[in-house]
Amino acid sequence: MKFASLKSKHKDGRLVLVSRDAAYAVEVGDIAPHLIDALERWDDVQPPLQAVYESLNAGGAEGSFAFDPAQCVAPLPRSPQWLDGSAFLNHSNLMDKAFNKPAPPLVETVPMMYQGASDDFLGPHNEVALPRVEDGIDFEGEFGVITGPVPMGVDAVSALACVRLLVQINDWSLRALGPHEMKTGFGFLQAKPSTAFAPVAVTPDELGDAWRDGRVQMRLHVHWNGQRFGEPHGGEMNFHFGQLIAHAARSRRLTAGCIVGSGTVSNVARSAGSACIAEQRVIEIIDSGKTHTGFMQFGDSVRMQACSADGVPGPFGVIDQRVVEYHP
């Protein structure tokens, strides 16, 4: 199934099912008014939602209408918890090499993860209002999963069975603020503004063979101000999503609706480009000793879309956002 949430006076939006070809949608408020409600009652609502989805794809869903991604908020506009990993070790290895830092302890066996704000996610076409360009505005293209209930101490294989939905993410970062916050030992806060999501969240079966080994086996095409920036492949995750979920649940249970991110999609092959500016900058430092690429300016835009190996657009839709100056 494919889910989206439309703009509404309610902070959780209006839940709709989206047809497989993304042409049509239908409201399902009589089954579950919001996605968080569906996730919390998944075993009860999954069968009737599936029946409506099949009817929608067959052209027989009563009340269906043309699907407009511009009317979408994030599929899950707020979540019980947002946990972002750093599962692509090439990304962190490049950072360590550029700044001559030792790798974190156990980096190859224990996932790195931080807990971010989850009360105000951005939709795929929301303007991104930020206070200062001097803060080092950066995009970060990622994939993620939304879980059902996860028991404490779950193993990595069992954790994969807790995945309900897959999502595409732009995890906005303010790079000038991160180093100080990391040195405090408490982690990110101001350096991580609200995270953005592509319009559609999908059940894993919608990806077919592109959901394999606990990874999204697709390329994430990133364009900055209309220019190609990279298309790294999600299959190079060193830790799969089951391992990330198990790491998060080692000492506590997770409730339905928790979102776990992959971290910046990053590939060893330079030809794949990058999914964030910081990675491009550290490559420049490694190659020439200095950076040539600046961070984003007000008015800049970024576009992200997952595609199959042969370039067919994936089921998540497009993130297309512009950075603007915040005015109270």
Side-chain angles (χ1 to χ4, degrees):
M1 289 182 283
K2 299 173 65 173
F3 295 90
S5 295
L6 302 183
K7 296 175 182 177
S8 167
K9 292 181 179 179
H10 196 282
K11 59 188 69 176
D12 291 314
R14 297 176 2 245
L15 182 62
V16 299
L17 283 168
V18 180
S19 61
R20 188 164 284 117
D21 63 3
Y24 297 96
V26 62
E27 291 197 40
V28 289
D30 57 332
I31 302 173
H34 317 293
L35 185 54
I36 188 64
D37 177 63
L39 290 162
E40 290 173 341
R41 299 188 297 118
W42 189 257
D43 290 343
D44 294 331
V45 303
Q46 192 272 340
L49 287 172
Q50 185 68 45
V52 174
Y53 184 61
E54 291 171 2
S55 177
L56 179 63
N57 286 317
E62 184 177 353
S64 64
F65 52 90
F67 177 58
D68 180 6
Q71 297 305 310
C72 289
V73 292
L76 196 60
R78 55 181 181 151
S79 165
Q81 196 164 197
W82 157 232
L83 302 165
D84 198 20
S86 183
F88 293 86
L89 292 187
N90 181 65
H91 178 72
S92 58
N93 289 342
L94 287 170
M95 298 289 184
D96 294 338
K97 183 176 180 180
F99 298 109
N100 197 28
K101 292 167 43 183
L106 306 177
V107 66
E108 294 186 359
T109 55
V110 179
M112 293 183 288
M113 185 174 287
Y114 79 91
Q115 184 179 47
S118 60
D119 59 328
D120 184 33
F121 292 137
L122 301 177
H125 299 287
N126 283 136
E127 288 188 332
V128 181
L130 295 168
R132 303 187 332 138
V133 294
E134 292 82 4
D135 290 338
I137 303 169
D138 197 0
F139 49 82
E140 289 192 63
E142 306 186 13
F143 294 111
V145 299
I146 305 178
T147 74
V150 181
M152 182 169 63
V154 68
D155 65 82
V157 174
S158 300
L160 280 178
C162 299
V163 172
R164 296 288 181 265
L165 299 169
L166 311 178
V167 290
Q168 179 191 312
I169 298 168
N170 183 4
D171 179 36
W172 288 95
S173 293
L174 299 176
R175 299 297 189 181
L177 304 182
H180 166 74
E181 292 191 321
M182 292 303 292
K183 288 177 183 177
T184 67
F186 278 79
F188 297 126
L189 180 66
Q190 294 177 347
K192 289 294 183 178
S194 295
T195 301
F197 290 78
V200 180
V202 306
T203 50
D205 60 289
E206 291 292 328
L207 264 65
D209 194 49
W211 173 246
R212 189 173 68 254
D213 302 325
R215 298 165 172 87
V216 177
Q217 307 283 345
M218 306 186 81
R219 291 196 175 276
L220 186 56
H221 291 249
V222 180
H223 288 78
W224 178 13
N225 290 334
Q227 299 298 311
R228 178 260 185 189
F229 198 76
E231 56 280 330
H233 195 277
E236 274 194 37
M237 283 176 73
N238 297 79
F239 299 99
H240 63 67
F241 278 109
Q243 292 170 296
L244 295 181
I245 295 168
H247 175 78
R250 180 181 181 275
S251 58
R252 54 178 168 170
R253 65 185 178 92
L254 308 182
T255 59
C258 287
I259 305 175
V260 179
S262 67
T264 305
V265 181
S266 179
N267 291 176
V268 172
R270 293 278 188 90
S271 59
S274 298
C276 74
I277 300 171
E279 183 172 294
Q280 174 61 33
R281 285 167 59 89
V282 297
I283 289 172
E284 292 167 354
I285 291 172
I286 292 168
D287 288 351
S288 66
K290 60 182 179 179
T291 62
H292 309 286
T293 303
F295 290 111
M296 298 185 80
Q297 302 294 310
F298 294 140
D300 282 6
S301 62
V302 61
R303 185 183 193 275
M304 300 180 180
Q305 183 175 31
C307 296
S308 65
D310 54 2
V312 176
F316 306 105
V318 176
I319 296 174
D320 195 349
Q321 297 183 289
R322 188 169 69 98
V323 176
V324 299
E325 185 175 7
Y326 172 72
H327 295 286

